[in-house]
Each structure stands twice: as C-alpha cells, then as structure tokens.
Amino acid sequence: MVDVNQHNLVPEHTVLDDPERVEEVLEEYNVNKTNLPKIKKNDPALRETDAEPGDVVEIVRNSRTAERAVVYRLVVE
Amino acid sequence: MSMQTPKELGGLQFGLMDPETYRDMSATKVITADTYDDDGYPIDMGLMDPRLGVIDPGLECRTCGQHSGSCNGHFGHIELAAPVIHVGFTKLIRRLLRATCRECGRLALTEEEQAEFRDRLVRTRELGEDPNDVLKAAVRQARKASRCPYCGAPQHDIKHEKPTTYYEVQDVLSGDYSERIASAMQPDPDDEDDQGTSPQELAEETGIDLARVNEILAGEFRPRKDDRRAIEKALGIDLTEEDMNKLMPSDIRDWFEDIPDSDIETLGIDPERSRPEWMILTVLPVPPVTARPSITLDNGQRSEDDLTHKLVDIIRINQRFMENREAGAPQLIIEDLWELLQYHVTTFIDNEISGTPPARHRSGRPLKTLSQRLKGKEGRFRGSLSGKRVNFSARTVISPDPTLSLNEVGVPDRVAKEMTQTMNVTERNIEEARQYVRNGPESHPGANYVKRPDGRRLKVTEKNCEELAEKVEVGWEVNRHLVDGDIVIFNRQPSLHRMSIMAHEVVVMPYKTFRLNTTVCPPYNADFDGDEMNMHALQNEEARAEARVLMRVQEQILSPRFGENIIGAIQDHISGTYLLTHENPRFSETQALDLLRATSVDELPEPDGRDDGEPYWTGRTIFSLLLPDDLSLEFPSSTGDTVVIEDGQLIEGTIDEDAVGAFGGEIVDTITKVYSETRARIFINEIASLAMRAIMHFGFSLGIDDESIPDEAGEMVDEAIENAYERIEELIETYEAGELESLPGRTVDETLEMKIMQTLGKARDSAGEIAEDHFGDDNPAVIMARSGARGSMLNLTQMAGCVGQQAVRGERINRGYEDRTLSHYRKNDLSAEAHGFVENSYRGGLTPREFFFHAMGGREGLVDTAVRTSKSGYLQRRLINALSELETQYDGTVRDTSGTIVQFEFGEDGTSPVRVSSGDANDIDVDSIADRILEAEFGDEAEKQRFLGEREEPTNLSEHAEPRRVARGQGVQSDD
Ligand SMILES: [Mg+2]
Ligand SMILES: [Zn+2]
Ligand SMILES: [Zn+2]
C-alpha cells in the first residue's frame, strides 16, 4: 500500500508521546484537548504511527506565508 | 417608565414539558368549543376566555390585570379524553419502541453495553459532536436483541405507519394451519416416488401423540409453539403469518412509563427534563389569544385565527369522544373517534405532514398552523427574526459628483429631513438644539421630534416649532435632521466584500440622488446606469464612533483581498494624468493655477523655465505638487516607461494606471502604507480633481473617425486576410488529398481545425498591427488603451482592422444545419467564412452572415456570465455562512464560537494582508524599511523624537470638523 508520508505534499506528523509536551501545548493555547482540531485515527498519514484516540499529533508543514507552520491535532476514532 | 429592566439570559434549555407543568401554567381549562356568546362577550372556559389575555383595547386581563399591549397573554389547557401522539416526536417514539423491552421497559442492552454508550456520549459531548449519533447507534444495537437481557421476554419488530400509527409485528399460527399441513402431507403429483406422509409417520417424526395429530389435522387443536416448530421442520413448511398488533397511544404511554431513568440517560436524554411518556400528549396547551387574535371584518363579523379554528375542532371531537365512551359505545366507534382526535391534534401542530390530508378552511385554503408559522422563508425565524426591515434607512439612485471628497456622500435634502439623529440637550448645545427645533420639520437643518425627560415624545410641527423651541431644556432629546458632517453607512448590493458597506460623511444637497465621488466606484462595484444604493443613519454614539474609526472610506483604501489599494484613479482620471505627464507639456501661470484650483495647492513653485519671457511650469512639476515632499519611488509604468520620483518630484515617466489607479496603483499604495490613510485620501481626492482639470484642459473625445485607418492601411489589412485565406485553401486541399499530417495526439480533422484557427488568429493579429501602426500616439483610443484607463489594443484592432474568428465553446462555429452552419454555404465547406470568421471591422460594418455568427459568439458570453454569477454567488454564500463565526482571538489563534481552534496563527503568519508591503520580488522590502529607519535615526533630535513617539495621525476627525466648529459659535443657520 502507498505510504502517503513519502509524498512531498504530506507534512510531517509526529505523535506527542511526552504528556508534558501535550500539557505545554494545551497551556500555550489555553485550551482543552477537545478544542484542538481533530484528525481521524485511520488517517493515512497516521498509519505508520501508533496514535490512539486521545493522543495529540504535531504537524509541521511548509507555509506560503510563514516558512513553517506548526499545527496540533487531537486523534479521534 | 413603562420599560422593564433588561434581564440577562443565563441559558437556554430544550426539552419536553411535563403535562403537570402544562396544567400548572394554565390560566384556565378550556371545555367549550364556542368563542363568543350572542352579545359578543367571550364565553367562560371557552377559547376566548378573558383569562387567556386580552386583545380588545380597554378590556382588562382577568389573569394579570393589565391591558392589551402590556399583557402578553396566558396559556390555557385542554384535558384530552385519550392520549395522542405528538407528531414532532414520531421518529423518537419509533426508536424508543424498538430499543426497549415490551414487558419491562428496559433498554435492550446489557449493563456493559450501556456503560460503553454512556462513555461514548461523554466523549461526543466533549468533542462538540452530535449526541444524536450515539442515540442512533445505541438504538441500532438494542434492536438486534431478540430477547430482553433483563427479563428474557421475546422482542417483536415495530412497524411505523406514518405519521402516527405503530404496530407490533408478531409471527402467530396461521388461521388455515390444518389445510396447510394436510396439503403438505399429500403426495406430490409430479413426483412418482413420493408417497406423501401419513398421520402416523408425522406423529413418529414429530413425537406428537397420534390422536393430537389427528385433532390438529381436523383443525380442532391449535398446536403449541414447540409442536408447530416440529411439524414445520418435518414437512418443510411455514405455518405462521404476520400479525400486526396495533399499539394505541395509551399502550405506548404505559410502555414508556416503565423505562427507567438510567436507561434514558444512556440514550443521551435528560430524564429530569424529558420523560419519554411526555411525547404522548394527555393535556394540550391552548395558546394565549394574543397569539391567535380574532379580527372584526368591515361587516361586523368576527373572523377567527386558523389556530382557533383548529382548537375548536379538537374540543368538539374531544367532547364527542368522552360522551361516546361514557355511553359505552362499541370499540370500533371509539377507535374512529380516537383517530380523528389524533388527526386534529396532529394538524394543529403541523399541517404539512406527508400522507395526511391537510386541514382546510371553508374556502379550501389549507390552514396555517403552528409549524407553518415558524417554517420557511416567510416563517418566524427567517422572515420575522433574522430578516427584519430597518428604520432610519434610505434608498435612491446614485450619480457622480467629482467635487465631493471620497469620504463624503451627497444626501438629498428630502432624505436628510426624514432621517434623524438624536441630540441629547446639554448646557453646551442647548442653543443649537433650540435653533433646530425653531426651524421646524420642513426647513432643512430642523427637527422632527423632541422627547421630554419624562419619556413623552412630541412631534415638531410648523405650527408649534417656535413655541416648542423655547420649552427645550437640558435633559431633553431632540431628533434633528441630518446635517453636513454626520456619519452614515452606505451600501450597495450585492454585499460581497467588506468594502461593500462603508461609512461616509453627509453633505446635504438638492435633488433626488445620492452623490458619490467616482473614486469609490471600484469598491462598491457601482456605476451610474441606474444603480441604487442604501443609506443607514446611525442611532447611537458608539455606532457613530465605530463607523468613523473603522468603516470610513479612507480606512478601506487597502483591500484585504490582495493587500493593495482598491480605491484610486479610474477611467478619465487616468487619461488625465497621462495627458498631463506623458509628454510633459508646458503650462502658463494661469493654466497651471487653473489645473490646481480644486486642490489645496494655492502657490506655484519656481517656474521650470521661460518661453519668450513667459514663465512656464511642466505637467510633471504640477503633478509633483500633490506628492508628499519626501516620497521617493521607482517603478515601471503601464505605458512602458519608468517612473522616477525623487523627494516628492516626478523626474520622469508617465503617470498612468500603474501609478495612481485603483487595484494597486503604486503611488497610492505606498502613500497609504508609508504615510497614512488621511494622506492617501487627500492624495486621491486631489489627483482626481487635477486629472479632471487636465483632461478638460486638453479636451478628450472619441469619434468614429478616430478608428478609421488610411486607405493604404486598409489595403494591407485586406491583403493579410487574403493571404490567410489562400493558406487555408492550401490546407484544405492537402487535407482533402489525405496528405495532411496530424499533430501528436490529434486526429487529422482536429489538426486541420487547429491550423485554420491558428492561421486566422495570425491574420487578425497582423491586421491589428497594421492598424496600430497607422494610429497616432495622440489617438484617444490608443491613449486609453496604453494608460490603462479603458479598453485594450484588441478592442482597437476589432474596431479598425478585423473582428476575427467567432467561437462557440472554444471552436469555430460548427452548428446550425446538417453539415453546414447556414444554408448559404455548400455542405462540408471548411472555409473561413462558412465557419464564422468576420473579416470586416466594427467600423467598416459586418455582413449579415458575419453579424449572425457574431451574435452566436456574443450570446455564449452572456449565458456564461449569467451562469457564472449565480454559481459563484451560491458558492460565496455557503463560504460566508461557514466562515462567518470564525474570529481571530487576542492570542492570535482563529477559533469558532465553541472555542475550537481553526488556525493556530491567523493565516499561519499572524499578519494582516493590508499591513504587508506589496513588492512583487520580496514579500517584505527590508531595504527600504531599513533606509527609512536609518534616515529617521540620523535626523535631528526633534525628528528622532517624532519617530520614537506616536506618529500616527488621528483617524477620527471629520473632514467637516473645521466648518462645524465655526458653525457652533454662530448657532445654526439655514442657507437663506
Ligand atoms: Mg450598473
Ligand atoms: Zn394577562
Ligand atoms: Zn424486559
């Protein structure tokens, strides 16, 4: 099966394993986990990871306006 | 004061209502279907009972004691003789019937399954998703259970016959079971080996006593379930039939009453607020009379509201039901009446249920009942609540006025006299206020109403104005006319972007149209071919302040769409600056002053030189007077030269669309970003005035002769076209000889078409070039095309040279008759003229056939625009509705109303497009920013201080601030 992560338009997805990092992110934006944008557990970009619902994924993408844009998403069913 | 104190809404809860609550809040029980007695008085406990509120002025409400207007009315209630189903909940009722046990009422899910769904419910709520999905999933799973996990009772399927009938479907022993068994025991006539089955064999096989088998065969004994199964298995037959057991509303109510609260919670329903049995109505609330007022017709007859008619029906049937039941009427009649009651209650709630005939008025018109009042475009939500008509608004045709500032709008005096602003009278403005009142409602800066501190409003009339003016004291309110300098909101539909609604300052003018500066046409997308616009007068100080600071036209010069100016010179303004600067003409002192007379420049600089002893000033020098003194810029112009501005002096280059035009004119853009909006407004206003003076100085017109070319040029054009025809002839010959080589990926036919199109395209281009060579640089059409004011060289080519190939769907014209476009041509004629090539020019005139082909191409263009606008309008609406609640928060994130993050940083870089420099090469022009900073650093101390301090100009000053201040000192005076 095709690994979409190899495609150059698919940004890098990393699961935040360290609960402290997740805490930091939530604190920085002053939100609950549920207020983060969502990503489905079966999203092709997460196939190679061990993301479970409730995890937070960090996505780093190239941006047209800023060089680099970091986005966090909550993994859902 | 009659006003109630405002209250804050803590929250809003939706749920079902307990019948007890209906009874508690009811002002009276309604038992009589009649409304008024013979004397016209409302009947007690009838539908118009005075305890339900009052509609006749003068009468007193028997419940709250208030009069009509202050009493909102009170609900009553009808005790239904038998429970009926609420049509609004038929789906939920069906789901609950399917998911719960018919015996014990428990949800047919094990404790573990229930716990799982409860968890899922919590998660769904946290994620802000629809809890209905969980309910649906739980019902789906519970329905699968064939037996109740708690009491073990077998579950049956529920059939729902719309709208309000439910059946329990059971498999029961068929009535003709004995015949079925007997026929199965007969030998098969088609099969010789089959001997049939004897009763003995059947008894042996099924283990049933032979005597019993014989009884069964005689139809004297109905076999029990186990026996039935055994016989079915032995004979390979089905002895059952479906039995539909109708569930009456009372059965359903009893069923639902057994459902425990905990199971309800699993489904996401709050049992405290919504018990499922409340979906079956036992009490019907009667809306207050204020919600269904009766009207007295001209002939003195009363006409009742549709809801009242419906309630009359309900009460009548209810009464009959009770009477029949008390008289012990047969079950069949009772059931009929029950169904009728259900019908009336159903249509009272919703009269547009599919499968149910709508209840009709005597005239045949369907009644408008509760749902119909709320639903749809004209309903309460879309029609009355979100789409209200507004006061203090005006609409009329717009027309241009180049003498106005772009911040202003000319308002007709008759509009200004109708729309008012509220003045709170204080010690400082009391004289002014009195003068407005004294002027009365008819003469212009007058007043229409005054309000005393006790809240009474008095109309100012021609008769009482003098007298009233003396009575005005501090603390009163005066509704004065709009005057010059007031801020209003101005709008042109379709309101597709932010700049479709901007704030303008009023200039009161005679006649009937709104007047605008032509430079604000691009943001509104307005022209003056009959366009109308709306104006809204602001009614409180906060709104006026916000409008002035945020919405005024000068604050909208930069478009958030592309980050450059959307307001600037257009059309004749651009032709004007082109004429002024292209050849840098010379002007005498009088001429120069005349050009500048509408600007703030009233002194000329040193002359550029002398002509025969007379001093002269060049066009570029005059233009430079409008530039900020320290502006330096260099950019290519649309005309083709390079514009160089040094220290506010235009050194060389032509000022055209790329310099001062709307949609990204370099100078306007730079002034707005580097200086201020106010400076840009002044610049645009003055450029527009100067350009108009300049174009009037030179004179600028366009006639039919300006598109004519000399005879020899005409001959050259003809020759070019003739050559193309010959080439096409050759192509066709090659094609017909079968020698045409196809292009890669194309058929021969396609190749031929492409080559012909190419050849004809080239022919038109060369015709255009020939024509262009023969136009002088002073040709007005050429000036307009080069400067970007209006039109293009292609337009000129078509006017003077050759209109060219007409196309439908991107191909030469191929439609019409069989194998030809028109009956004027031979079949399969491939020539240019037979497929819509127009060799004539617009000026020369088209032949009838050319004209027809041209109309075909033109029609396609019209259809395309019509389709495009409707498609894109719908797309835009959907986008706006989806994005309208997103908001950039103070922490830079973009969130929706539930606080969910949509962007972690606005636009990923947290920058507003209008605050970014708009160079093509670099997104941010670091060099020039650094230069500016250094310059500021190395300036003298005062300058440096200015740099470090707040440099922004105040944005909230009215252009009319000066004259208004003067006027205040003198008191208000009318024009005459
Ligand atoms: Mg128009
Ligand atoms: Zn009342
Ligand atoms: Zn049960």
Side-chain angles (χ1 to χ4, degrees), chain B residues 382-679:
Chain B
R382 280 174 74 191
S384 326
L385 290 168
S386 38
K388 282 196 278 189
R389 287 162 185 277
V390 288
N391 287 326
F392 302 102
S393 67
R395 179 185 176 95
T396 182
V397 176
I398 52 167
S399 49
D401 188 337
T403 62
L404 288 175
S405 164
L406 55 81
N407 271 336
E408 292 172 328
V409 59
V411 176
D413 46 11
R414 58 199 85 192
V415 170
K417 279 189 274 186
E418 200 66 48
M419 308 236 287
T420 55
Q421 300 267 294
T422 307
M423 266 179 98
N424 293 303
V425 181
T426 64
E427 277 161 21
R428 276 168 296 160
N429 66 8
I430 185 156
E431 261 324 301
E432 199 180 340
R434 282 183 175 155
Q435 185 59 51
Y436 282 125
V437 178
R438 202 172 294 128
N439 287 346
E442 313 254 300
S443 45
H444 173 253
N448 291 352
Y449 283 95
V450 292
K451 194 171 165 191
R452 300 196 310 218
D454 65 3
R456 248 184 91 99
R457 251 160 67 92
L458 302 170
K459 191 168 172 55
V460 181
T461 62
E462 284 302 292
K463 275 192 185 139
N464 73 3
C465 60
E466 297 277 346
E467 202 182 324
L468 212 51
E470 300 315 311
K471 287 188 191 154
V472 171
E473 291 297 339
V474 173
W476 286 42
E477 279 175 17
V478 171
N479 288 326
R480 51 148 249 250
H481 294 160
L482 282 185
V483 296
D484 290 3
D486 279 335
I487 192 107
V488 293
I489 282 176
F490 207 44
N491 162 231
R492 180 181 177 277
Q493 282 101 352
S495 312
L496 294 178
H497 59 186
R498 203 175 70 189
M499 294 80 75
S500 289
I501 305 178
M502 296 191 284
H504 289 250
E505 287 176 7
V506 169
V507 178
V508 181
M509 291 184 157
Y511 312 122
K512 291 182 177 176
T513 58
F514 285 133
R515 251 58 59 82
L516 323 171
N517 185 307
T518 45
T519 53
V520 293
C521 288
Y524 287 121
N525 191 20
D527 48 38
F528 304 106
D529 61 2
D531 291 24
E532 291 181 48
M533 286 181 71
N534 303 325
M535 192 191 94
H536 300 268
L538 297 165
Q539 292 302 308
N540 62 55
E541 242 16 281
E542 292 95 321
R544 285 189 278 261
E546 264 191 41
R548 198 177 283 284
V549 175
L550 301 173
M551 298 179 69
R552 204 149 58 125
V553 179
Q554 70 172 62
E555 311 302 325
Q556 313 293 330
I557 291 172
L558 298 177
S559 163
R561 191 175 78 207
F562 47 89
E564 295 179 13
N565 65 302
I566 189 169
I567 296 171
I570 52 166
Q571 306 198 354
D572 275 6
H573 304 144
I574 293 168
S575 300
T577 53
Y578 179 94
L579 293 173
L580 188 69
T581 55
H582 183 56
E583 278 167 356
N584 205 16
R586 295 172 178 187
F587 300 96
S588 71
E589 183 179 21
T590 335
Q591 289 171 329
L593 285 170
D594 183 53
L595 289 176
L596 289 164
R597 65 193 250 180
T599 71
S600 61
V601 180
D602 44 17
E603 238 171 294
L604 289 173
E606 285 302 304
D608 287 308
R610 283 176 189 276
D611 231 359
D612 300 335
E614 283 294 307
Y616 69 82
W617 287 263
T618 66
R620 288 178 187 162
T621 306
I622 291 169
F623 173 81
S624 301
L625 291 172
L626 305 183
L627 293 172
D629 288 339
D630 51 353
L631 181 75
S632 296
L633 269 181
E634 197 176 316
F635 58 90
S637 74
S638 142
T639 316
D641 50 15
T642 304
V643 179
V644 181
I645 296 170
E646 269 169 29
D647 292 329
Q649 287 298 313
L650 175 61
I651 309 293
E652 62 170 271
T654 310
I655 299 302
D656 56 24
E657 196 196 12
D658 286 354
V660 292
F663 303 108
E666 204 66 39
I667 301 177
V668 180
D669 188 43
T670 310
I671 291 180
T672 322
K673 281 173 182 158
V674 179
Y675 296 83
S676 69
E677 272 85 13
T678 307
R679 184 69 185 86

Side-chain angles (χ1 to χ4, degrees), chain B residues 51-54 61-66 71-74:
Chain B
R51 277 169 293 200
L52 300 179
V54 279
C61 170
R62 289 248 305 268
T63 302
C64 64
Q66 286 175 305
C71 165
N72 286 325
H74 313 275

Side-chain angles (χ1 to χ4, degrees), chain B residues 24-283:
Chain B
D24 286 348
M25 67 179 217
S26 165
T28 177
K29 189 171 165 181
V30 181
I31 51 170
T32 330
D34 303 310
T35 48
Y36 296 95
D37 63 16
D38 297 338
D39 304 326
Y41 286 105
I43 293 172
D44 234 36
M45 294 181 94
L47 279 169
M48 289 293 162
D49 190 299
R51 277 169 293 200
L52 300 179
V54 279
I55 36 174
D56 306 292
L59 286 183
E60 206 171 74
C61 170
R62 289 248 305 268
T63 302
C64 64
Q66 286 175 305
H67 290 272
S68 77
S70 14
C71 165
N72 286 325
H74 313 275
F75 274 90
H77 78 281
I78 298 171
E79 287 287 347
L80 294 173
V84 290
I85 284 162
H86 189 304
V87 266
F89 299 105
T90 50
K91 259 199 189 144
L92 188 52
I93 291 173
R94 184 178 69 205
R95 289 202 177 114
L96 286 180
L97 286 174
R98 283 174 176 167
T100 53
C101 169
R102 59 193 304 269
E103 297 293 337
C104 69
R106 296 287 315 257
L107 184 62
L109 293 172
T110 60
E111 287 297 347
E112 297 82 66
E113 286 172 322
Q114 291 216 18
E116 199 176 297
F117 277 112
R118 272 195 289 267
D119 282 351
R120 204 168 137 190
L121 204 60
V122 173
R123 227 166 334 141
T124 309
R125 289 219 171 98
E126 268 176 11
L127 293 175
E129 285 162 8
D130 190 2
N132 243 326
D133 296 340
V134 181
L135 183 140
K136 279 184 210 159
V139 169
R140 218 176 299 129
Q141 189 160 343
R143 201 182 164 187
K144 285 184 199 149
S146 55
R147 279 177 187 280
C148 169
Y150 298 97
C151 72
Q155 302 299 307
H156 304 307
D157 197 18
I158 299 291
K159 199 169 164 242
H160 178 196
E161 204 166 84
K162 278 175 183 160
T164 48
T165 325
Y166 298 90
Y167 297 97
E168 213 178 7
V169 184
Q170 274 169 293
D171 286 340
V172 294
L173 188 69
S174 160
D176 59 352
Y177 66 97
S178 54
E179 285 91 6
R180 286 197 200 181
I181 299 170
S183 73
M185 285 164 72
Q186 292 298 313
D188 190 342
D190 298 334
D191 187 352
E192 287 173 19
D193 297 338
D194 189 3
Q195 300 294 310
T197 319
S198 71
Q200 286 84 354
E201 284 167 350
L202 187 62
E204 256 167 55
E205 210 169 316
T206 53
I208 307 170
D209 194 48
L210 180 59
R212 210 7 86 73
V213 171
N214 282 324
E215 275 177 23
I216 290 170
L217 279 170
E220 284 159 8
F221 184 82
R222 295 170 65 85
R224 291 267 157 73
K225 204 176 193 175
D226 295 343
D227 291 353
R228 190 195 82 207
R229 289 254 165 85
I231 297 169
E232 281 177 336
K233 207 179 157 205
L235 296 171
I237 53 166
D238 181 15
L239 292 179
T240 59
E241 64 183 9
E242 277 192 352
D243 181 53
M244 306 256 276
N245 177 23
K246 187 173 173 189
L247 291 169
M248 300 312 281
S250 48
D251 302 333
I252 300 175
R253 208 181 139 82
D254 294 343
W255 180 328
F256 284 176
E257 271 174 358
D258 287 340
I259 305 177
D261 281 357
S262 60
D263 290 9
I264 302 273
E265 257 169 306
T266 308
L267 293 170
I269 303 171
D270 179 0
E272 288 290 306
R273 291 203 172 75
S274 313
R275 280 293 312 177
E277 60 267 23
W278 298 342
M279 294 188 289
I280 321 295
L281 298 168
T282 51
V283 182

Side-chain angles (χ1 to χ4, degrees), chain A residues 29 31 34-35 38 63 65 72, chain B residues 126-127 895 901 904 907-908:
Chain A
Y29 293 104
V31 286
T34 52
N35 280 334
K38 316 289 183 300
S63 163
T65 44
Y72 300 93
Chain B
E126 268 176 11
L127 293 175
R895 304 190 190 203
I901 295 179
F904 283 83
E908 292 185 343

Side-chain angles (χ1 to χ4, degrees), chain A residues 27-45:
Chain A
E27 201 147 301
E28 183 185 348
Y29 293 104
N30 189 26
V31 286
N32 295 323
K33 254 187 194 178
T34 52
N35 280 334
L36 294 174
K38 316 289 183 300
I39 184 168
K40 285 244 182 125
K41 182 182 177 293
N42 60 4
D43 191 291

